[in-house]
Amino acid sequence: MNLDNSFRVGIAGLGTVGRGVVRTLQKNRELLRKRVGRELAVVAVCARSRSKERGIALDAYEWEADPARLAARPDIDAFVELMGGEDGDAKRSVEAAIGNGKHVVTANKALLAVHGHALAEAAEQQSVALRFEAAVAGGIPVIKALGESLAGDRITRVVGVLNGTCNYILTRMEKNEASYPEIFSEAQSLGYLEADPTLDVGGIDAAHKLALLASLAYGTRVDFGNVDIEGIERISLRDIEQTRDMGYRVKLLCVARMSEEGLEQRTQPCLVPRYSTVGRIDGATNIVLLEGEATGQISLQGPGAGEGPTATAVVGDIVGIARGSAGTTFGQPAATLVSAPPARSAVPVPYYLRLSLRDEPGAFAEIALALAWANVSIDRIRQYAHATEAAPVIIVTHATTRARLDRALDEIRRSEVSLREPVSIRIEEI
Amino acid sequence: MNLDNSFRVGIAGLGTVGRGVVRTLQKNRELLRKRVGRELAVVAVCARSRSKERGIALDAYEWEADPARLAARPDIDAFVELMGGEDGDAKRSVEAAIGNGKHVVTANKALLAVHGHALAEAAEQQSVALRFEAAVAGGIPVIKALGESLAGDRITRVVGVLNGTCNYILTRMEKNEASYPEIFSEAQSLGYLEADPTLDVGGIDAAHKLALLASLAYGTRVDFGNVDIEGIERISLRDIEQTRDMGYRVKLLCVARMSEEGLEQRTQPCLVPRYSTVGRIDGATNIVLLEGEATGQISLQGPGAGEGPTATAVVGDIVGIARGSAGTTFGQPAATLVSAPPARSAVPVPYYLRLSLRDEPGAFAEIALALAWANVSIDRIRQYAHATEAAPVIIVTHATTRARLDRALDEIRRSEVSLREPVSIRIEEI
């Protein structure tokens, strides 16, 4: 059945990424044959609609209506899952592929963030590869960098801007001086948002990716359930403008760090210095900083999504398997991955606070006392001219722990001079 | 002899990198055992002096006086060559290792730039791996990114700042407003320069690295002999200051690009926009931009040298081989690599020119006519106040070909109003 020694793949899902993978395999067929040493052949495909016009020739491939049937075909070596979704068809078909001894390549961060450990164990039992470079940061080879290139080092911190949509929205708010709801509507009408937009703007998509990076970096079981997640919905144009004046930009940061207390995994809007490597990232670009004890800091930057970059990542994984590259899913045998207790960040950092205070004598003194009581000291203060009874006050604290800050915020909330819920944004040192 | 299934290495060369590799293998022994699934064991080492104090424990290892004997030991699986040099011991021992069926990991760009093709052919005949991540850009995993992650894409351009010493010197000249000879002496006294400093400042080290990247990117035989090389010796403080005022910085750029004419490989000082990703690189940091048809532009940045980063890259290669990763040396079987004719850059770009003109009526008109005659058009002109008879004139041209510019420069050289050799620097679009 496979007389010519080709490496045969079945592709499930023909959306943007699936179409890109078919296109790449067709267009670069000769190049790939040289680079792999054998032909990469598409045998069969599967998608929701057979009749949809996709601008690619599919006639030479078998069509399967059920992705799990495709995954089990005796004439494929690898199953390429590009449907998405943490359960349903994606999970069922990846399990079918592994159960039938097929290698799996997927771009599905949700599936792996939730079921990655079980799938990795199953793949290793069956001695098949499960690869997911395209699931994190599109065309940026961060999975390979962490799991292979840096395998000799102890990772001290991983920092990423991993959701292009959020970064696009924040960049647009800043440049157009438009509010979050305005830019959100714009992004939605342009088709930039997921069907369920909270996946993007709520930070969930970025958190999925962070959970995968943390597992690779620290030899821990993927633990999406313990990622501290906060989206960008509460970031106002006022915060963007005022922090910019102070030399910062707002980024939805993903941070993973291991300490004696356990594994810290955070996805939250943070301030970063405007002229730092991360602070300069615009639009849909992704960036990942990998920090190692011996290596120092490496930064990888590029397009985090889109047909071309993501398809290249998928094909890179197929190439690796076809060349015979061995290796586990999360950088070491799944059975040796440990469960780390979740930990909150214990490193003191400065915070930006925006308060709305009653415009009356003693109001600011009351806030200053609340901060002093919680042992939070003030670095900078700005109060702006205002026409209303609410006086906008910006405070940047000196480095303090989250626990102290929370005590101060509770005290401020209780105060009668505070007219609105105080806004606090962590200032990340990078 | 190897009852415990460990992966056994012999290390030749215990300078900065060799010491770092031994330290990493010792310190991260348990971590590596988990990540590889077997022990990485040092069996024997070799260096010029046995008695030298290196701050690492070597008692547990056999000592070999001759690296080629080390390479041939029946009790090693991989030979790690960290001596350097394009011939001599390095070449002899790597050949011995391959001949004896040992895998090879090396950080030696000179060896591979000159003999890489023959060594790759020999390694593939013997079915052993020859890996060299540490040879280019230290801790930045660019070899893996090009050869594996981007294997599915057609590379359109590779741009790098690959010599930390040159970038350090240029950065120091700019920040200290000191001349090239002053900063060169400083770097030399700090031990930053190779024994033969022309390897660094003459651009040869960077060109070695570029030749390796070009082979991986374009499926061509390593062709160091056809890299156009120009060092940073002729860059004056005046050029740095004047180009900075115009929004540029000087970088020793490595550029590889394939066109219908052939393979362009250039290592030369270029101007890049001050606020571009490459323009922001300071000191000894390296950066590589990989541009692919489908992927767009990826940028990888980090420490380009030093014990920790380079040792991590070496150990990453050892890990890959010990895990059983297959693959060729230059991204495809050496026998299928082609010889591309060398080509000069045909893309028109702007140039910066610095001229010294006789301070007399009609001098500038003569230069303007020379440029017009060669069909080079002027974008910007600056003439500075001067106390001497030589008037310093800066010209930025519109985009033009190198051939046209050379005609204009020849004409200017012949002119009596031109008092010194004109300086020209390419402005690279990135």
Side-chain angles (χ1 to χ4, degrees):
Chain A
M1 202 151 193
N2 185 23
L3 298 174
D4 62 352
N5 189 36
S6 62
F7 187 81
R8 303 156 305 169
V9 301
I11 300 173
L14 293 172
T16 307
V17 181
R19 205 169 50 213
V21 170
V22 171
R23 222 172 245 157
T24 300
L25 292 175
Q26 289 177 349
K27 190 175 158 204
N28 296 344
R29 187 176 159 180
E30 287 309 313
L31 186 72
L32 283 162
R33 193 209 301 267
K34 259 201 209 163
R35 288 179 176 170
V36 178
R38 58 202 284 210
E39 170 120 10
L40 296 187
V42 180
V43 168
V45 297
C46 163
R48 231 173 281 162
S49 153
R50 184 165 189 177
S51 55
K52 188 176 169 185
E53 179 47 45
R54 298 181 170 91
I56 44 171
L58 297 172
D59 300 347
Y61 316 138
E62 304 266 343
W63 183 272
E64 291 278 0
D66 176 9
R69 268 185 67 99
L70 172 61
R73 282 178 71 107
D75 60 354
I76 67 165
D77 300 304
F79 175 66
V80 182
E81 188 279 300
L82 303 170
M83 298 175 289
E86 73 182 60
D87 284 299
D89 278 350
K91 177 160 178 276
R92 196 167 55 85
S93 59
V94 167
E95 285 170 346
I98 293 170
N100 282 278
K102 314 296 182 187
H103 302 291
V104 174
V105 173
T106 177
N108 191 335
K109 46 239 148 200
L111 174 72
L112 289 175
V114 179
H115 304 292
H117 187 72
L119 293 173
E121 282 194 316
E124 288 167 26
Q125 264 164 26
Q126 292 281 333
S127 299
V128 295
L130 170 57
R131 294 271 181 282
F132 59 95
E133 184 65 78
V136 183
I140 307 174
V142 60
I143 302 299
K144 202 176 264 292
L146 260 183
E148 301 177 22
S149 307
L150 295 175
D153 200 6
R154 277 174 206 281
I155 301 302
T156 49
R157 187 172 60 154
V158 176
V159 180
V161 174
L162 300 175
N163 183 282
T165 305
C166 287
N167 207 47
Y168 169 84
I169 290 175
L170 293 170
T171 306
R172 290 279 293 168
M173 284 172 71
E174 186 181 354
K175 299 215 160 138
N176 291 34
E177 307 199 332
S179 71
Y180 174 78
E182 287 174 82
I183 300 295
F184 178 88
S185 302
E186 179 196 286
Q188 206 163 29
S189 69
L190 288 168
Y192 287 4
L193 287 164
E194 305 262 355
D196 174 4
T198 55
L199 281 177
D200 282 320
V201 298
I204 296 165
D205 171 79
H208 283 147
K209 296 167 182 170
L210 175 64
L212 299 176
L213 295 184
S215 170
L216 274 162
Y218 299 110
T220 49
R221 287 168 174 244
V222 187
D223 187 11
F224 170 67
N226 278 313
V227 181
D228 279 333
I229 308 176
E230 196 188 303
I232 61 167
E233 303 99 328
R234 71 187 178 83
I235 298 299
S236 71
L237 181 59
R238 171 164 279 178
D239 295 321
I240 288 180
E241 287 172 343
Q242 276 162 358
T243 56
R244 179 179 56 194
D245 287 352
M246 297 165 113
Y248 298 107
R249 285 181 94 188
V250 184
K251 297 286 162 197
L252 182 70
L253 282 197
C254 295
V255 180
R257 189 199 307 253
M258 182 69 87
S259 69
E260 282 173 20
E261 285 72 44
L263 178 61
E264 171 192 341
Q265 299 180 95
R266 289 184 282 121
T267 295
Q268 65 179 165
C270 290
L271 299 180
V272 296
R274 189 165 181 71
Y275 295 111
S276 61
T277 316
V278 175
R280 285 163 182 148
I281 294 297
D282 270 331
T285 303
N286 279 195
I287 187 168
V288 188
L289 307 183
L290 303 176
E291 296 176 353
E293 231 172 61
T295 312
Q297 187 189 81
I298 292 178
S299 108
L300 314 174
Q301 181 179 331
E307 177 180 319
T310 314
T312 299
V314 171
V315 175
D317 277 346
I318 299 174
V319 166
I321 299 172
R323 280 176 176 166
S325 286
T328 51
T329 303
F330 292 107
Q332 63 189 61
T336 68
L337 295 165
V338 298
S339 293
R344 296 197 79 178
S345 169
V347 182
V349 295
Y351 285 87
Y352 158 94
L353 306 178
R354 178 162 58 83
L355 311 175
S356 273
L357 301 189
R358 197 181 295 281
D359 198 358
E360 65 181 31
F364 190 78
E366 197 166 324
I367 297 304
L369 282 170
L371 289 165
W373 173 79
N375 217 353
V376 173
S377 98
I378 296 173
D379 181 25
R380 285 189 275 172
I381 300 171
R382 286 189 184 184
Q383 179 168 335
Y384 290 87
H386 52 284
T388 60
E389 62 140 14
V393 172
I394 307 295
I395 295 174
V396 174
T397 73
H398 280 295
T400 185
T401 60
R402 184 74 224 184
R404 282 182 186 174
L405 186 80
D406 285 343
R407 282 177 66 196
L409 289 175
D410 280 347
E411 198 65 16
I412 290 168
R413 279 187 197 101
R414 271 195 292 270
S415 158
E416 283 188 2
V417 304
S418 174
L419 297 175
R420 289 207 201 94
E421 171 63 18
V423 171
S424 70
I425 311 179
R426 180 183 170 103
I427 301 177
E428 193 78 21
E429 285 178 21
I430 48 174
Chain B
M1 198 151 196
N2 184 23
L3 298 174
D4 62 352
N5 189 37
S6 63
F7 187 80
R8 303 155 307 168
V9 301
I11 300 173
L14 294 171
T16 307
V17 181
R19 204 170 52 216
V21 171
V22 171
R23 220 171 246 159
T24 300
L25 292 175
Q26 289 176 348
K27 191 174 158 204
N28 296 344
R29 186 175 161 180
E30 288 309 314
L31 186 72
L32 283 161
R33 193 210 299 268
K34 257 200 210 164
R35 287 179 177 170
V36 178
R38 56 202 285 208
E39 171 119 12
L40 296 188
V42 180
V43 169
V45 296
C46 164
R48 232 173 281 163
S49 153
R50 183 164 190 176
S51 56
K52 187 174 168 185
E53 178 47 45
R54 297 181 169 89
I56 45 171
L58 297 171
D59 299 349
Y61 316 139
E62 304 269 341
W63 183 272
E64 291 278 0
D66 176 8
R69 268 184 67 97
L70 173 62
R73 283 178 70 106
D75 60 353
I76 67 164
D77 300 303
F79 175 66
V80 183
E81 188 279 301
L82 303 170
M83 298 174 290
E86 72 181 60
D87 284 300
D89 279 351
K91 178 160 178 273
R92 197 168 53 87
S93 59
V94 167
E95 285 170 345
I98 294 170
N100 282 279
K102 314 296 183 188
H103 302 290
V104 174
V105 174
T106 178
N108 191 333
K109 47 236 144 199
L111 174 71
L112 288 176
V114 179
H115 305 292
H117 187 72
L119 293 173
E121 280 194 317
E124 289 167 26
Q125 265 163 27
Q126 292 282 333
S127 299
V128 294
L130 169 58
R131 294 272 182 280
F132 58 96
E133 185 65 77
V136 182
I140 307 174
V142 60
I143 301 299
K144 204 176 263 291
L146 259 183
E148 301 178 20
S149 307
L150 295 175
D153 201 5
R154 278 173 205 281
I155 303 301
T156 48
R157 187 171 62 156
V158 176
V159 179
V161 173
L162 300 175
N163 183 281
T165 306
C166 286
N167 206 48
Y168 170 84
I169 290 175
L170 292 170
T171 305
R172 291 280 292 167
M173 284 172 72
E174 186 181 352
K175 300 215 160 137
N176 290 33
E177 307 199 333
S179 72
Y180 174 77
E182 287 174 82
I183 300 295
F184 179 88
S185 303
E186 179 196 286
Q188 206 162 31
S189 70
L190 288 167
Y192 287 2
L193 287 164
E194 305 263 355
D196 174 3
T198 54
L199 281 177
D200 282 322
V201 298
I204 297 165
D205 171 78
H208 283 148
K209 296 167 181 169
L210 176 64
L212 299 176
L213 295 184
S215 170
L216 274 163
Y218 299 111
T220 49
R221 287 166 173 247
V222 188
D223 187 11
F224 170 66
N226 278 313
V227 181
D228 278 333
I229 308 177
E230 195 187 304
I232 61 167
E233 303 98 328
R234 71 186 178 85
I235 298 298
S236 72
L237 182 59
R238 171 164 281 179
D239 295 321
I240 287 180
E241 288 172 343
Q242 276 163 356
T243 56
R244 180 179 53 194
D245 287 351
M246 297 167 111
Y248 297 108
R249 288 181 91 187
V250 184
K251 297 287 161 197
L252 182 70
L253 282 197
C254 296
V255 179
R257 190 201 305 253
M258 184 68 88
S259 68
E260 281 172 20
E261 285 72 44
L263 178 62
E264 170 191 341
Q265 298 181 94
R266 291 184 279 120
T267 295
Q268 65 179 162
C270 291
L271 299 181
V272 296
R274 191 166 179 70
Y275 295 111
S276 61
T277 317
V278 175
R280 285 163 182 147
I281 294 296
D282 270 330
T285 303
N286 278 196
I287 188 168
V288 188
L289 308 183
L290 304 176
E291 297 175 353
E293 233 173 60
T295 312
Q297 187 188 81
I298 292 177
S299 111
L300 314 174
Q301 178 177 334
E307 177 180 320
T310 315
T312 299
V314 170
V315 175
D317 277 346
I318 299 174
V319 165
I321 299 172
R323 280 176 176 167
S325 285
T328 51
T329 303
F330 291 107
Q332 62 190 60
T336 67
L337 295 165
V338 297
S339 293
R344 297 197 78 178
S345 168
V347 181
V349 295
Y351 285 87
Y352 158 94
L353 306 179
R354 178 162 56 82
L355 311 174
S356 274
L357 302 189
R358 195 180 298 281
D359 198 357
E360 64 181 32
F364 190 77
E366 198 166 324
I367 297 304
L369 283 170
L371 289 165
W373 173 78
N375 216 353
V376 172
S377 99
I378 296 173
D379 181 24
R380 286 190 273 173
I381 300 170
R382 286 190 186 184
Q383 179 168 336
Y384 290 87
H386 52 284
T388 60
E389 62 140 13
V393 172
I394 306 296
I395 295 174
V396 174
T397 73
H398 280 295
T400 186
T401 61
R402 183 75 225 182
R404 283 183 185 173
L405 185 81
D406 284 343
R407 283 177 66 195
L409 289 174
D410 280 346
E411 198 65 16
I412 291 168
R413 279 186 198 102
R414 272 196 291 270
S415 158
E416 284 188 0
V417 303
S418 175
L419 297 175
R420 289 207 202 93
E421 171 62 19
V423 171
S424 70
I425 311 179
R426 182 185 169 103
I427 301 178
E428 193 78 21
E429 284 176 21
I430 48 174

